[in-house]
Amino acid sequence: MTEPTAKLGFATKLVHAGETDNPLGSVTTPVFDTASFAMPDLAAHDRAVHDMTGVPYYTRGYNPTVHALETKLAAVESAEAALAFNSGMAAITTTLLALASGGGHIVASDELFVATANWLAEDIRALGAGCTFADFTDLAQVDKAIRPDTRVLFFEEFTNPTLRVLDLEALIRLGHARGLAVVVDNTFASPALLRPTEHGADLVVHSATKYLSGHGRVLAGSVAGRADVIERIGELRRRLGTGVTPHNAAGVLDGMKTLELRVDRQSASALTLAALAAEHPATGVVHYPGLPASPGHDIATRLTGGRYGGMFSFTLRHPHRKAAVYNAFEVIIRATSLGDVASLVDSFDSPDLLRISVGIEDPADLIADLTAALDRGV
Ligand SMILES: Cc1ncc(COP(=O)(O)O)c(C=O)c1O
């Protein structure tokens, strides 16, 4: 099969993109577990050292397995180009450094994954950049936080952990009107639900550890978007050494093939479980954009066409029962991370908040497990 073109459907790209030209017709992409590649002669060597991110020379710059993943990522994100990293944090930090180091300013959402928030609040100053946080559900606040030296708007489209859904198109319009690069962390929605570059975002980043790989075995990250910007980020990635290993790239390549199937199932089960939680006397607020009463429901419906993903979180009416509820899960695993085929429950630095990442188990088993755990919270 030749490389899928933009005409082919999303599921076809998930399976085939990047993996159509393998040696010996290998159906899966070989793992090129090597640090370096032999040079046939000095002329080839001299070409390679001038294009370290474009040809096989040294794996920190280029590796065929990683390149296959990047081709797949670009195709499924409807982006010109993509890069893979050794974690979501590596993708985020390398991308934002490339855009804002040397005196640049970032305006970021005030609800972000905690490590991203801490890095933006504490570490980037030492690197010559700065960040102001704003409530991205309020466009006027975002507008007010933009300064003459601002270069980037950065936000999670579905926020972690309370699943706020932001007005993607309005934020992109605002960012572009002020001359900024709009960078979206789309980890929670995944490209199966939403592809921000199709709405005009300049770059989309992911923790590929989550839905893209899908099986909780590898750490990885990605950025996709405009080719000229990706090239700059790729050069910085080579210098920093934040690229994904060939082994982990293969894990993401395999996982992505079933992304849409998994997310369809996870979205359906999450809607059932979130509705159950909303009716249960143990819970206070249930955060899930699929619930019609949720503040992000209308925007999410417009953007995702009625699938809302596998993530929901809830507060407990009786915070002193939090340990009893958390400790009671038997099928849903008490573990951090998300987007896994296994359902996971996680606790946060809050007296009453729990978050569930819904897996692909039998819905009846998940319903029974959540009900039994919530019954401990009454
Ligand atoms: C929304 C979001 N972005 C980024 C990350 C960081 O990804 P990683 O753990 O792969 O570095 C996470 C991790 O949980 C996340 O939830």
Side-chain angles (χ1 to χ4, degrees):
M1 182 176 179
T2 52
E3 191 59 33
T5 65
K7 275 192 291 187
L8 292 175
F10 181 70
T12 309
K13 290 187 212 169
L14 281 172
V15 174
H16 292 292
E19 307 199 61
T20 52
D21 198 19
N22 289 327
L24 307 176
S26 174
V27 171
T28 58
T29 295
V31 184
F32 285 90
D33 259 332
T34 181
S36 58
F37 298 84
M39 294 292 107
D41 53 36
L42 187 62
H45 167 274
D46 290 352
R47 275 197 304 278
V49 293
H50 286 107
D51 185 18
M52 283 194 215
T53 60
V55 295
Y57 172 68
Y58 189 58
T59 280
R60 179 155 45 71
Y62 178 97
N63 177 282
T65 313
V66 175
H67 183 69
L69 172 58
E70 293 170 346
T71 305
K72 193 186 289 293
L73 284 165
V76 306
E77 297 276 23
S78 306
E80 288 173 11
L83 294 165
F85 293 83
N86 60 23
S87 68
M89 286 313 299
I92 291 166
T93 56
T94 308
T95 297
L96 293 181
L97 270 183
L99 296 176
S101 61
H105 176 254
I106 297 165
V107 175
S109 160
D110 64 1
E111 181 168 270
L112 291 171
F113 170 58
V114 63
T116 311
N118 289 343
W119 183 76
L120 285 168
E122 292 165 20
D123 299 322
I124 61 165
R125 257 172 288 143
L127 302 162
C131 180
T132 301
F133 295 95
D135 177 353
F136 270 48
T137 60
D138 179 352
L139 292 181
Q141 256 206 49
V142 178
D143 196 42
K144 215 165 119 202
I146 296 170
R147 311 191 315 211
D149 59 346
T150 303
R151 294 193 200 147
V152 182
L153 278 193
F154 179 77
F155 55 94
E156 293 168 6
E157 176 49 33
F158 285 28
T159 66
N160 184 4
T162 68
L163 282 294
R164 289 194 307 209
V165 181
L166 302 180
D167 192 340
L168 179 69
E169 285 155 346
L171 286 163
I172 291 169
R173 273 197 302 276
L174 171 62
H176 288 172
R178 303 292 298 269
L180 310 180
V182 178
V183 184
V184 182
D185 180 337
N186 197 37
T187 298
F188 268 38
S190 94
L193 296 185
L194 174 67
R195 296 176 286 281
T197 45
E198 292 177 359
H199 298 263
D202 298 278
L203 295 170
V204 55
V205 294
H206 284 275
S207 168
T209 314
K210 312 299 188 322
Y211 286 100
L212 291 175
S213 76
H215 294 72
R217 189 181 284 282
V218 302
L219 259 73
S222 68
V223 61
R226 271 175 37 205
D228 58 330
V229 189
I230 292 291
E231 194 180 326
R232 265 165 56 207
I233 302 167
E235 185 53 30
L236 184 61
R237 180 188 66 168
R238 184 182 68 78
R239 294 184 198 182
L240 294 175
T242 49
V244 70
T245 63
H247 174 83
N248 285 357
V252 182
L253 275 171
D254 291 346
M256 282 180 73
K257 293 176 186 180
T258 57
L259 175 72
E260 194 174 42
L261 294 175
R262 287 184 279 108
V263 170
D264 278 350
R265 166 82 164 220
Q266 287 160 327
S267 296
S269 293
L271 184 58
T272 304
L273 295 181
L276 183 163
E279 291 295 311
H280 198 283
T283 61
V285 186
V286 176
H287 303 289
Y288 186 61
L291 298 177
S294 157
H297 181 70
D298 290 345
I299 299 174
T301 304
R302 199 173 75 230
L303 291 174
T304 69
R307 289 170 305 159
Y308 304 94
M311 300 299 302
F312 73 99
S313 59
F314 55 87
T315 59
L316 291 167
R317 220 179 270 281
H318 307 296
H320 67 282
R321 303 296 299 159
K322 183 173 169 180
V325 173
Y326 179 82
N327 295 342
F329 287 101
E330 288 186 354
V331 175
I332 300 173
I333 301 170
R334 285 177 289 281
T336 195
S337 202
L338 60 109
D340 198 323
V341 288
S343 296
L344 309 173
V345 56
D346 203 2
S347 168
F348 289 82
D349 191 16
S350 140
D352 59 359
L353 187 71
L354 292 174
R355 188 193 71 192
I356 293 187
S357 167
V358 178
I360 61 167
E361 301 93 337
D362 284 296
D365 292 330
L366 298 177
I367 290 168
D369 201 38
L370 180 63
T371 306
L374 289 178
D375 285 349
R376 304 295 307 275
V378 184

